[in-house]
Amino acid sequence: MRITIAVTTALLAASATAPALASSCGEQIATIERRLDSPGAATVTGSTGTQTGSPRALPTPPGGQPSDPSVTPSPDKIAQARDLIAKARAQDKAGQTDACESTMSQAKTLIGALP
């Protein structure tokens, strides 16, 4: 019995000091922010991209026309997506997972296929 109590106490103490796990929405936010800070996205907005953009981002837009022109990113759409990301961050912090994921879906739709 004493061993069970000691083990339980040790586990509780260890879990209290463990770092909080990032939510799936929080991970989406971080991923999209990296995409928006990539050199490829900077070509769309006319800004200077950071060196730490998404490791999968292309340095320049791919050639040709997209099959769906509505997914073409623009500076206005990227600005709107940044606003939605701020909203999603607040929703994630408040524990509103479904609302956060819905907001992130809207942001992803807005930015379309970033280079």
Side-chain angles (χ1 to χ4, degrees), residues 25-113:
C25 196
E27 291 171 3
Q28 288 181 53
I29 291 168
T31 299
I32 297 302
E33 284 181 323
R34 281 192 306 273
R35 285 184 61 204
L36 292 176
D37 290 338
S38 72
T43 62
V44 173
T45 61
S47 64
T48 304
T50 65
Q51 298 294 350
T52 61
S54 174
R56 295 185 181 154
L58 299 173
T60 59
Q65 296 296 318
S67 57
D68 183 357
S70 69
V71 299
T72 303
S74 71
D76 290 338
K77 288 180 180 179
I78 290 175
Q80 291 172 14
R82 287 188 188 276
D83 291 341
L84 286 172
I85 289 170
K87 178 181 176 182
R89 185 176 284 111
Q91 291 168 330
D92 187 45
K93 188 175 181 179
Q96 300 169 340
T97 305
D98 291 341
C100 180
E101 290 178 358
S102 175
T103 301
M104 285 307 298
S105 292
Q106 293 171 27
K108 291 175 191 177
T109 301
L110 277 173
I111 62 173

